Amino acid sequence: MTGAHEAAGAHAERGPEASLAAARGHEGAPEGVPPQGGAGRWSRGARAGLTAVVDRIIATAPRVPVRDLATLRGQFPGLGPEEIADKLVTGAANGTSTVGAGIGAAAMLPVPPAMPAELAAEIVGVAAVELKLIAELHEVYGLRAPGTARQRALAYLAAWADERGVDVTKPTSVNAALGGQLRRELRQRVLKRTFRNLPNLAPFMIGATVGAVMNRRDTRRLADKVRADLRRRQVSWAALPPPEGPQDGP
């Protein structure tokens, strides 16, 4: 599973840039952190941590393998768009559940300071799984984003940040996707997820089960939002032009 692989890679590259420990400063300084003199340093550290995670997600996005419509129809013969979409959502929910179980298990470790790095790895891993889901849902609903593989990846990344489908009439260019707007949206998405997970994992150390359940629920919720958006603009398979080549081409 791509998400698990990315999560493992992020875990292996632990370091000051990968840690989101400073993000806890928004809820109150962790034990041992000066409440006044250290506040500025923790604020800068939080921003650096978020930026590092966002940069890693952006770097990962073009490498996420995405199956085109022809491949999906071949793997799920006889199924229609909604049935294939259901299969994709189930697979993605299982994938993010596995990643969530990993961070939940890390919360049980005897050294709590290790957890923020694990949380950063989880966010990157979940983003990879959900990005693949969003891209393949666009294929199923006949709404592949235009442009090169990299441009499509960044368009789907913007869709992930906004929890919506890509408007194919307003393609996201590489320059726009790498600009400040997408980065701000991604930072907000990462920050939101960080604060949603920390209160459940850090204080109570409740382990793998809750981490898995939370990710499964959140992935299904994201899928519901994206599918509802895509259904309104769905293009029937019969109306699509013949495939020009594999989706991962230049």
Side-chain angles (χ1 to χ4, degrees):
M1 177 61 65
T2 302
H5 175 74
E6 290 297 331
H11 172 68
E13 296 180 14
R14 287 183 188 175
E17 290 187 343
S19 177
L20 287 179
R24 297 182 63 188
H26 289 273
E27 295 184 330
E31 183 178 357
V33 176
Q36 296 180 352
R41 290 192 297 272
W42 278 89
S43 178
R44 290 190 297 272
R47 184 176 181 84
L50 289 170
T51 299
V53 173
V54 167
D55 287 346
R56 184 168 181 83
I57 290 173
I58 291 174
T60 297
R63 300 198 299 268
V64 173
V66 176
R67 292 168 291 184
D68 61 16
L69 178 58
T71 301
L72 290 168
R73 294 184 69 179
Q75 292 180 352
F76 301 104
L79 300 185
E82 291 298 329
E83 295 168 308
I84 295 179
D86 287 342
K87 297 283 188 182
L88 296 179
V89 173
T90 297
N94 290 339
T96 58
S97 176
T98 300
V99 177
I103 181 61
M108 299 295 291
L109 295 176
V111 185
M115 190 185 62
E118 293 287 345
L119 181 59
E122 182 207 14
I123 292 171
V124 175
V126 167
V129 175
E130 292 181 343
L131 181 64
K132 177 181 177 69
L133 171 63
I134 288 175
E136 292 180 350
L137 286 175
H138 279 77
E139 291 287 320
V140 167
Y141 287 104
L143 293 168
R144 176 194 291 192
T148 65
R150 179 174 175 77
Q151 288 172 322
R152 290 194 297 270
L154 293 172
Y156 295 138
L157 191 56
W160 178 77
D162 289 341
E163 300 183 335
R164 57 164 175 76
V166 172
D167 185 348
V168 296
T169 66
K170 300 176 182 178
T172 304
S173 69
V174 173
N175 290 337
L178 287 176
Q181 181 178 353
L182 176 60
R183 289 182 179 274
R184 285 192 297 272
E185 292 173 351
L186 288 172
R187 278 197 296 269
Q188 289 300 314
R189 179 74 189 271
V190 169
L191 187 62
K192 178 180 176 182
R193 183 176 184 88
T194 300
F195 284 111
R196 186 169 66 243
N197 285 13
L198 276 177
N200 289 283
L201 295 178
F204 304 109
M205 307 298 178
I206 50 184
T209 300
V210 168
V213 170
M214 288 177 62
N215 278 359
R216 182 184 297 274
R217 178 201 64 196
D218 290 348
T219 296
R220 289 190 176 277
R221 182 180 299 161
L222 170 68
D224 288 344
K225 291 181 179 180
V226 173
R227 290 177 70 176
D229 191 18
L230 295 178
R231 282 191 195 101
R232 290 193 289 268
R233 297 177 278 112
Q234 182 174 358
V235 177
S236 70
W237 293 345
L240 293 174
E244 298 179 356
Q247 182 175 353
D248 58 354

